[in-house]
Amino acid sequence: MKGCYLQEPQKYTKAEQTLAAWNGSGRFPHAILIEGQNNGANTAFSARIAKAVLCEAEGDVIPCEGCRHCVKMDKEIHPDYLTFEGEGRSRSFHIETVRDIRTRAYLFPNEALKKVFLLKNVQDMSVQAQNALLKILEEPPETVVFILTCENKSALLETILSRVTLLSLEGVEAISDEREVEAGQIWEALLSGRELDALAAFSAYERDRQGFIELLGAIRSLLEARLLSDTANPSLSVRETLAPLRLMQIVDIIDEMAVSAAGNGSVSLLGSLLCARVETVIRKSR
């Protein structure tokens, strides 16, 4: 089952949950902006995304850690993972570098199905360089994924920000207790057949896409806890006890909705679709 990792339940951060959703489907945005302090975390997180993009496995777990692409990423020798950056000062990421990136982007990958371009510290880009980059972000080749890192997105043009999917590593915290409580309430509503209550809860996130993804992560974590329970939990009512297969099906649905949300799908529509599909699975289990 793609996307369901039966490991110790954890509280996903927003960025981690989004990456888990992308890994679960194997579908990634064409341009990703990672925001956070330049302490190595940005580059490490970028490499994790690139590894998943380049992995050639077709199984349930992506990246597989065993294919030739995963091995070369671990050794930092993959020919389809290219890194560019300025000289560490303002406006040192020049337009000539961006032009070189644009030229390379239209060349076919060397070994993998895609190429990943890591553009580090894009806050150092000149305005001319950002405008040059915008041209390829608007109509990127299908074989390319761009990963940009920056310390603060405010240094970038609004036109650039509108073409990327933002993952913030700055001040990221675990899912709050309030979010966990809300996830439990939504799950209870779905199990009780109160679909309208669940829909109302999701509708509050119509303008908060990342919050919606985080909420899905909290629900997913709750279901993983059910799957990992070795003994019956006396706090669970009879109707909460679903067969593991049904719970796994619902986890798959949640992963699919999270991926769609990360890809700019309508949060309102996704909330409605999730409720309808989960209700169908629950009804079949009765």
Side-chain angles (χ1 to χ4, degrees):
M1 180 188 59
K2 182 169 285 191
C4 183
Y5 312 107
L6 300 186
Q7 55 189 14
E8 189 65 25
Q10 57 181 307
K11 296 181 179 180
Y12 293 99
T13 63
K14 293 179 180 180
E16 290 284 356
Q17 172 59 23
T18 302
L19 179 55
W22 290 340
N23 285 346
S25 71
R27 297 196 300 271
F28 295 82
H30 76 275
I32 302 162
L33 174 63
I34 300 176
E35 179 188 36
Q37 290 299 313
N38 186 19
N39 56 8
N42 288 353
T43 300
F45 204 78
S46 299
R48 290 173 57 191
I49 296 174
K51 191 175 186 180
V53 171
L54 298 172
C55 178
E56 65 182 357
E58 297 180 354
D60 293 342
V61 179
I62 304 295
C64 70
E65 306 295 346
C67 73
R68 55 179 177 151
H69 300 302
C70 286
V71 171
K72 287 190 175 183
M73 281 297 298
D74 287 339
K75 293 181 178 179
E76 300 183 358
I77 58 172
H78 202 295
D80 292 316
Y81 183 48
L82 296 85
T83 301
F84 303 84
E85 61 181 318
E87 300 172 1
R89 63 179 187 276
S90 179
R91 301 181 184 277
S92 64
F93 201 133
H94 300 300
I95 188 172
E96 290 79 10
T97 303
V98 175
R99 286 171 177 162
D100 181 37
I101 292 169
R102 285 165 47 184
T103 299
R104 292 171 181 253
Y106 286 102
L107 300 177
F108 286 110
N110 293 283
E111 297 180 7
L113 295 177
K114 291 183 179 292
K115 291 194 295 187
V116 179
F117 288 77
L118 172 60
L119 282 58
K120 298 173 63 175
N121 299 317
V122 292
Q123 75 274 354
D124 294 335
M125 275 191 176
S126 65
V127 172
Q128 293 82 358
Q130 291 188 52
N131 282 323
L133 179 64
L134 179 63
K135 294 180 180 180
I136 196 167
L137 292 184
E138 289 175 332
E139 297 183 7
E142 293 183 358
T143 56
V144 171
V145 171
F146 290 101
I147 304 177
L148 289 60
T149 73
C150 71
E151 294 184 353
N152 193 315
K153 65 181 181 180
S154 63
L156 302 180
L157 299 175
E158 286 295 331
T159 47
I160 293 288
L161 295 177
S162 69
R163 298 297 191 278
V164 300
T165 297
L166 175 66
L167 292 182
S168 178
L169 303 185
E170 187 68 31
V172 171
E173 298 178 353
I175 294 174
S176 66
D177 292 339
E178 291 79 7
R179 190 82 80 198
E180 286 189 343
V181 169
E182 186 176 15
Q185 292 171 341
I186 291 175
W187 180 235
E188 171 67 22
L190 291 170
L191 286 169
S192 303
R194 294 183 284 109
E195 184 178 342
L196 290 179
D197 289 347
L199 283 171
F202 282 130
S203 67
Y205 292 88
E206 186 172 357
R207 298 183 181 276
D208 182 7
R209 182 179 305 278
Q210 200 61 54
F212 177 73
I213 293 172
E214 182 180 342
L215 180 58
L216 294 183
I219 298 173
R220 188 188 201 279
S221 182
L222 184 154
L223 298 186
E224 283 185 336
R226 301 291 194 270
L227 283 164
L228 290 165
S229 296
D230 294 327
T231 58
N233 187 335
S235 68
L236 302 181
S237 62
V238 174
R239 69 171 180 277
E240 280 189 276
T241 308
L242 296 179
L245 177 60
R246 299 303 185 191
L247 286 173
M248 292 166 69
Q249 289 175 341
I250 294 172
V251 168
D252 272 347
I253 292 170
I254 290 171
D255 283 344
E256 183 180 341
M257 297 301 106
V259 169
S260 296
N264 293 325
S266 167
V267 170
S268 178
L269 179 60
L270 292 173
S272 298
L273 183 59
L274 184 148
C275 289
R277 292 179 62 182
V278 169
E279 193 275 333
T280 298
V281 172
I282 293 174
R283 187 174 64 250
K284 289 180 177 178
S285 69
R286 300 308 187 199

